[in-house]
Amino acid sequence: MTRRHLLFGNPSAQSGRAKEAVDRASALLAAAGVDVVFVETEPEGRTPALVARTIRERSPDAVLALGGDGTFNEVARGILASGSSPPLGMLPMGTANDQGRSFGLLPGREHIGEHVEVILAGHQALLDVGRIDALDAAGGVIASTLFFDSASFGFAPDILAARNRDRREVSQIPLLSLLYRDQAVYVGAALDRWLSSFVEPMKFGCVVTADRFQRSYVELTDLVVKATPIFAGHWVLDRRAEPDDGLFELIAVASRREWGSRIVGDLAKNPVRPEILGLDPKEHLAAARFDIELLREGETGVASQIDGEEWARAFRFRIEVDARRLPLLTPAGFVAPWR
């Protein structure tokens, strides 16, 4: 029986280079006897509804996401909203690609053949899914969504907000938009926020209830809740982390200096443990539910990001893990090198 796969992606991404990846993946799958239907993703948050609707109409054997962690997020949300459970296959093409890298899948057009082999093999894992709510002072929900890789609060989301602002402004200037794009925009935003942090309030306090255990932090720069092991493409903040154990890991970062030590000690390919290098491996919280209260004066809320995309500003957040919820096509027998 002919298999039918839906392939979702944005062919204009990466300055148009993503179309080559779409064409190559489609050709390789077709050569293996798979009927591939390509559907272009939609802007402004409309992709999950598009994915859910298309799944109901076509009843595919698998759904494929070509792009970065943001595309993974939107396609995965669409699968879960569809009322059925076709497995999700990854064709990573973004910058960080924490999802793919957490299972040994490297991003880029040169690796499309390897990704297709994994999809054709059909081995499935079940990925933990996070539900996050942003809350008002009375505990009412002001925003809610699902995430699959990470939620974070503080300095890194501030950089994303600055990047998105710069993208909008630069897009209005034709010549500049050709030169200042992709990674250059992110680097520029990071430098802008780093310099601003010397004169603007950046640090915040935090009270976290992890399941029923409570912990307080003072003067943090970032708070990260991780669903998959890889962070920012190349680091593992907690080497015990598993993507299917029903637990997420919470990592609190207190200074630029601590980020510097993590750049060395938490590098995924680093075979030397942080403590051997003289670095202090922090004790992280692992739980199935986090209730988070952020404390910073003179703000309307602390910035947050979900799977690499800017999200809500608030002082209170709730995160719950839906264990082993999303069927995912992964390499059989994958062993994480950071173990």
Side-chain angles (χ1 to χ4, degrees), residues 143-181:
S144 182
T145 192
L146 302 179
F147 70 99
F148 307 86
D149 171 52
S150 67
S152 68
F153 314 90
F155 189 54
D158 279 338
I159 292 174
L160 281 174
R163 180 201 68 177
N164 292 341
R165 178 203 64 208
D166 289 352
R167 273 180 173 172
R168 290 190 294 269
E169 294 176 355
V170 167
S171 67
Q172 306 302 313
I173 308 173
L175 180 59
L176 185 58
S177 65
L178 293 175
L179 302 174
Y180 188 54
R181 63 186 186 189

Side-chain angles (χ1 to χ4, degrees), residues 190-244:
L191 179 60
D192 171 75
R193 295 311 303 153
W194 183 75
L195 293 173
S196 297
S197 70
F198 287 94
V199 295
E200 298 176 1
M202 178 182 72
K203 293 194 174 185
F204 57 91
C206 179
V207 178
V208 175
T209 302
D211 290 338
R212 285 179 288 183
F213 178 82
Q214 190 172 91
R215 178 172 292 182
S216 298
Y217 301 90
V218 296
E219 294 195 332
L220 298 181
T221 62
D222 290 90
L223 191 72
V224 181
V225 178
K226 280 295 292 174
T228 53
I230 292 291
F231 176 78
H234 299 284
W235 288 269
V236 180
L237 301 182
D238 189 333
R239 292 177 183 249
R240 304 166 301 172
E242 298 280 0
D244 59 354

Side-chain angles (χ1 to χ4, degrees), residues 8-336:
F8 291 88
N10 177 9
S12 64
Q14 296 190 327
S15 304
R17 295 190 300 273
K19 185 179 185 306
E20 299 176 25
V22 169
D23 292 343
R24 175 154 174 73
S26 299
L28 289 172
L29 288 164
V34 178
D35 179 13
V36 182
V37 177
F38 173 69
V39 182
E40 187 171 343
T41 55
E42 295 184 350
E44 301 177 355
R46 297 195 299 270
T47 293
L50 169 68
V51 173
R53 184 170 64 251
T54 310
I55 289 173
R56 295 188 194 104
E57 292 171 352
R58 294 183 175 269
S59 302
D61 297 293
V63 176
L64 313 180
L66 187 145
D69 292 325
T71 301
F72 183 105
N73 176 290
E74 292 196 317
V75 174
R77 283 196 284 136
I79 290 174
L80 295 177
S82 71
S84 59
S85 56
L88 174 58
M90 296 178 282
L91 295 162
M93 287 290 294
T95 303
N97 286 288
D98 291 348
Q99 294 289 351
R101 290 181 189 271
S102 290
F103 292 95
L105 298 178
L106 299 178
R109 290 169 293 169
E110 65 273 24
H111 297 289
I112 288 291
E114 301 162 30
H115 305 157
V116 169
E117 288 180 5
V118 171
I119 291 166
L120 293 173
H123 175 265
Q124 293 188 33
L126 291 172
L127 188 70
D128 294 336
V129 175
R131 175 174 295 280
I132 181 168
D133 299 319
L135 309 175
D136 61 21
V141 176
I142 58 177
S144 182
T145 192
L146 302 179
F147 70 99
F148 307 86
D149 171 52
S150 67
S152 68
F153 314 90
F155 189 54
D158 279 338
I159 292 174
L160 281 174
R163 180 201 68 177
N164 292 341
R165 178 203 64 208
D166 289 352
R167 273 180 173 172
R168 290 190 294 269
E169 294 176 355
V170 167
S171 67
Q172 306 302 313
I173 308 173
L175 180 59
L176 185 58
S177 65
L178 293 175
L179 302 174
Y180 188 54
R181 63 186 186 189
D182 300 335
Q183 280 293 88
V185 179
Y186 187 87
V187 172
L191 179 60
D192 171 75
R193 295 311 303 153
W194 183 75
L195 293 173
S196 297
S197 70
F198 287 94
V199 295
E200 298 176 1
M202 178 182 72
K203 293 194 174 185
F204 57 91
C206 179
V207 178
V208 175
T209 302
D211 290 338
R212 285 179 288 183
F213 178 82
Q214 190 172 91
R215 178 172 292 182
S216 298
Y217 301 90
V218 296
E219 294 195 332
L220 298 181
T221 62
D222 290 90
L223 191 72
V224 181
V225 178
K226 280 295 292 174
T228 53
I230 292 291
F231 176 78
H234 299 284
W235 288 269
V236 180
L237 301 182
D238 189 333
R239 292 177 183 249
R240 304 166 301 172
E242 298 280 0
D244 59 354
D245 60 0
L247 301 173
F248 287 175
E249 288 70 37
L250 182 141
I251 299 96
V253 182
S255 65
R256 301 181 189 89
R257 181 178 179 181
E258 184 176 341
W259 270 129
S261 69
R262 288 185 178 280
I263 288 173
V264 177
D266 292 335
L267 188 65
K269 293 183 179 180
N270 186 356
V272 183
R273 295 284 177 168
E275 55 268 29
I276 297 176
L277 294 171
L279 303 173
D280 180 17
K282 301 295 183 181
E283 179 185 353
H284 304 143
L285 297 179
R289 171 172 171 147
F290 297 95
D291 292 280
I292 300 169
E293 182 177 3
L294 307 175
L295 311 167
R296 185 159 65 185
E297 294 183 2
E299 296 273 347
T300 56
V302 176
S304 69
Q305 70 85 22
I306 300 299
D307 290 353
E309 299 295 333
E310 183 182 0
W311 199 53
R313 279 186 172 269
F315 286 116
R316 298 179 64 186
F317 296 87
R318 178 176 58 226
I319 294 173
E320 295 179 290
V321 180
D322 190 352
R324 298 170 58 81
R325 179 70 175 85
L326 179 71
L328 189 67
L329 296 173
T330 62
F334 170 68
V335 178

